[in-house]
Amino acid sequence: MGRKITMPSMYGNAIPTFDSSAISGGLSFLVSELEKIDPKLREPLTSTTYPRDISIQSGGGWVESTSAMNVDYAAVGGNSETGGIQNAIRRIQANVGKDVFKVLPYEITMGVKFVDMQRGAVTGRSIEQIYNTGIRLDYDKYMDSNTYIGNADYGTEGLVNQSKVTPVSVATGTAAATEWKKKTPLEILTDINEAIMAGWAASGYDQTAIPNHILIPPTQYGYLVTTMVSIAGVNGAISILEYLKQNNIAKNKGVDLFIGECRWCEKAGVGQKDRMICYVNEERFVGMDVPVPLTRAMTQPVVANASYDSLYVSAVGQVKVHYTEPFVYRDGI
């Protein structure tokens, strides 16, 4: 039976009417044609900052560990004076040691159905590309976690939870509190300078060991950015963050101090207090190896699943803190 369309007089008040066959067929095409499709694919909200806060060295292959050589010097024999009256010549000695760091594999797979690949050719949206983006995101999240807290199941640590670094609470301010929101800009600057001086002093005042990198929780960072302070001799007001950057001890020594937000600092301190981390962000002092960057290792058809399966792999080392002396934790901010 064909479709019946009743068309009223052009000048009448009635509207066109369609039978069930017309409604189920022709109008569905019309509706899809009138749909405006947004081509942008919304991905999950996320945040990774590890490339900013640590030096990463790539290459090395499928190793189980990486190592770093260290040396200590000492002079023995006689006293420390030199001159014509001494009769004992001192001898230099070197104690060479090695630190070994773990390397762990990262592995993840994806399977793309054959039918979905063919459909992608029609829609112009590749499911394989979507999966690939998801794997990259998962890898970045893994790298972020490995950088800041390590992997407890394998006994590794990150930037915020080094067991060899002793945490200390910041001083109490005039408001009888340690939190920065209850402190004056000068008291916050005192906390910053105290942390820098503590790391520098523990390093024997080595000029290269002045901490240049500070990480704080996002809440405290937002407070420093949005709270303005008036400074004598300065027209207008500047943020507390700018005040800290211009007046810290590191800047006076020619070091450009970075102060940034890090969500892993939230409740990372003793008693789940917010933690400030102060350290030297240079390869000589702290770093992380990635002997094998994220790689698509193999792809093969799986007839039983009617899919093409791919394996992605990487080899990621633990955080290597070579010098703990200029590494400082301050809790309670």
Side-chain angles (χ1 to χ4, degrees), residues 146-222:
N146 186 64
T147 297
Y148 296 106
I149 61 174
N151 193 325
D153 292 338
Y154 293 92
T156 63
E157 301 168 334
L159 294 176
V160 305
N161 60 351
Q162 289 289 314
S163 58
K164 293 183 179 180
V165 180
T166 302
V168 177
S169 179
V170 295
T172 301
T174 54
T178 61
E179 294 82 0
W180 280 1
K181 281 191 174 182
K182 298 179 181 179
K183 285 187 172 183
T184 66
L186 181 58
E187 289 173 335
I188 297 175
L189 177 61
T190 300
D191 289 342
I192 295 286
N193 282 333
E194 185 278 327
I196 295 172
M197 283 299 302
W200 189 27
S203 306
Y205 297 105
D206 187 316
Q207 297 297 314
T208 65
I210 300 174
N212 63 358
H213 210 80
I214 289 180
L215 300 178
I216 58 178
T219 300
Q220 284 81 342
Y221 181 80

Side-chain angles (χ1 to χ4, degrees), residues 278-295:
C278 184
Y279 64 103
V280 183
N281 185 15
E282 292 180 7
E283 181 181 343
R284 176 190 171 197
F285 290 84
V286 59
M288 182 170 65
D289 291 307
V290 181
V292 180
L294 184 62
T295 305

